[in-house]
Amino acid sequence: AQSVTQLGSHVSVSEGALVLLRCNYSSSVPPYLFWYVQYPNQGLQLLLKYTSAATLVKGINGFEAEFKKSETSFHLTKPSAHMSDAAEYFCAVRPSGGGADGLTFGKGTHLIIQP
Amino acid sequence: NAGVTQTPKFQVLKTGQSMTLQCAQDMNHNSMYWYRQDPGMGLRLIYYSASEGTTDKGEVPNGYNVSRLNKREFSLRLESAAPSQTSVYFCASGRQINEKLFFGSGTQLSVL
């Protein structure tokens, strides 16, 4: 079964600094990978997704992620953090082979932006 | 553009009470899902429905039942609520297997 591991339950960066949120996946075949963001008291919104078309994926709000098969990683980055980026971020995986059994989520990383 | 609508937004139950969480989507999606979110645990899949008329267990189905009433609606029922079911519940829907899921705004449930 596929799974994802998010390193760091909390990440704190200064406004304007680089944001790096780590995600490693475990899957026997290259899966589909997703990053979602959750703002306080809201549902989850898709930031970006990887479905094998390109290894560097650009998402909304200036975020991007790079799929690295050799490292089984799908880390999320943003060059310059903004106060509005403060939220919970979830990495998720689903098998590329099919099935409708939803996404498997990581435990989340809380991003804190210091002024 | 309603998307995925969940009701209620908040609910407090006593141990042993029953209730149904409602979810409806207006995007003509085939697949619908119920997740629960607990601190430090991420989201865990309770039940899902790949299409109208079918339902399947997810990672944490014990204590829950679901009904896929029609293509739009997917309800989650707690027959006898327990404090361990205190959580935030999210409904989601999706069109195809490799596409994103759309989430509702959640139901915060407390079981005393």
Side-chain angles (χ1 to χ4, degrees):
Chain A
Q2 70 280 1
S3 64
V4 289
T5 301
Q6 292 184 242
L7 300 177
S9 59
H10 292 79
V11 170
S12 180
V13 302
S14 299
E15 189 175 17
L18 171 71
V19 175
L20 171 60
L21 303 182
R22 300 178 187 272
C23 173
N24 288 88
Y25 69 90
S26 172
S27 177
S28 57
V29 296
Y32 296 130
L33 293 159
F34 303 79
W35 275 100
Y36 280 83
V37 61
Q38 183 182 32
Y39 299 104
N41 301 313
Q42 295 187 26
L44 278 72
Q45 304 173 37
L46 182 71
L47 275 177
L48 49 84
K49 65 178 181 180
Y50 167 77
T51 56
S52 77
T55 58
L56 183 62
V57 182
K58 295 186 182 298
I60 62 172
N61 301 338
F63 284 93
E64 61 182 35
E66 186 173 8
F67 175 74
K68 291 186 176 181
K69 184 178 178 180
S70 60
E71 299 177 6
T72 61
S73 68
F74 190 58
H75 301 331
L76 181 71
T77 61
K78 182 175 180 177
S80 177
H82 191 273
M83 294 299 290
S84 61
D85 295 327
E88 190 86 14
Y89 291 80
F90 293 94
C91 182
V93 63
R94 81 186 312 168
S96 57
D101 54 346
L103 304 179
T104 299
F105 286 85
K107 294 185 177 181
T109 297
H110 185 61
L111 178 61
I112 301 163
I113 310 297
Q114 303 281 4
Chain B
N1 293 336
V4 180
T5 303
Q6 292 182 235
T7 57
K9 291 189 181 300
F10 302 94
Q11 184 71 49
V12 179
L13 295 177
K14 295 180 179 179
T15 298
Q17 288 185 316
S18 62
M19 78 161 296
T20 300
L21 280 64
Q22 307 286 353
C23 175
Q25 52 90 11
D26 61 1
M27 297 172 282
N28 201 36
H29 286 166
N30 290 316
S31 301
M32 298 187 72
Y33 308 83
W34 277 105
Y35 286 89
R36 60 177 289 173
Q37 183 181 24
D38 302 291
M41 300 294 291
L43 279 78
R44 292 179 293 171
L45 183 64
I46 304 172
Y47 270 94
Y48 67 98
S49 171
S51 61
E52 183 179 354
T54 68
T55 61
D56 285 284
K57 296 178 179 179
E59 181 185 354
V60 289
N62 291 345
Y64 305 95
N65 285 299
V66 291
S67 295
R68 183 73 182 268
L69 305 172
N70 47 55
K71 193 171 186 178
R72 290 187 63 249
E73 297 172 288
F74 188 41
S75 62
L76 178 71
R77 182 161 179 83
L78 287 69
E79 291 290 352
S80 179
S84 61
Q85 294 177 305
T86 293
S87 187
V88 181
Y89 292 85
F90 287 99
C91 177
S93 70
R95 188 178 64 172
Q96 295 180 2
I97 59 172
N98 63 339
E99 291 196 1
K100 65 180 179 180
L101 295 186
F102 293 80
F103 284 82
S105 58
T107 296
Q108 190 168 328
L109 175 67
S110 295
V111 183
L112 306 178

